[in-house]
Amino acid sequence: MKRITYAGETVLTSDEVATALVELTAALAKRGLAEAVVIPIVTASGRLDRSAELVVGMGNDVLAVPDDQEGEEPDFSAEAKTLRDHIGSVTPNRSKAVPVERAEPGSSFNDFDLELGDVGGLKPL
């Protein structure tokens, strides 16, 4: 299990949820976004039916560290899948990208030989 540190508090969750949460936070932050999410947690008394609500993404730091909690890790795989699915919804789909047309070598389309000359008093190296 992993302990999530957020806004000065810590909560305990599964490795799978912690990893997905960190990845979602990074994906949102990369796009300048933030969103509210709910993650399943294990309480100090061992209850598995609790959750934590947090805002992740731009401007929110999330730290996930291993915890030496005794006992079997809870099965929060459905919740982890929800987080991973959300990562996919905020990450651009490269398969939908428009292919770039390639010009034949020597054509004027790809002739990037620029003459810089004297630009604003600066001389090219």
Side-chain angles (χ1 to χ4, degrees):
M1 288 199 287
K2 289 192 176 174
R3 189 158 297 278
I4 301 292
T5 301
Y6 179 88
E9 298 291 328
T10 63
V11 294
L12 193 61
T13 192
S14 70
D15 287 354
E16 193 176 15
V17 167
T19 298
L21 180 66
V22 169
E23 290 173 0
L24 176 59
T25 302
L28 288 165
K30 188 180 282 189
R31 283 150 193 80
L33 303 171
E35 293 187 15
V37 297
V38 177
I39 62 166
I41 62 171
V42 178
T43 66
S45 64
R47 290 186 64 173
L48 304 177
D49 62 341
R50 298 289 188 224
S51 60
E53 299 172 8
L54 53 158
V55 177
V56 296
M58 187 73 173
N60 298 287
D61 298 329
V62 175
L63 172 67
V65 296
D67 188 90
D68 294 332
Q69 189 75 16
E70 294 289 325
E72 193 172 315
E73 184 166 297
D75 181 10
F76 293 150
S77 56
E79 294 88 343
K81 181 183 180 325
T82 299
L83 290 171
R84 283 192 310 276
D85 289 347
H86 195 58
I87 294 168
S89 72
V90 298
T91 304
N93 186 346
R94 297 194 190 282
S95 67
K96 293 182 183 176
V98 177
V100 176
E101 257 187 57
R102 303 283 182 209
E104 292 298 316
S107 74
S108 62
F109 178 77
N110 67 349
D111 186 7
F112 298 113
D113 193 17
L114 301 175
E115 295 296 325
L116 295 178
D118 185 13
V119 179
L122 300 175
K123 303 274 187 204
L125 299 174

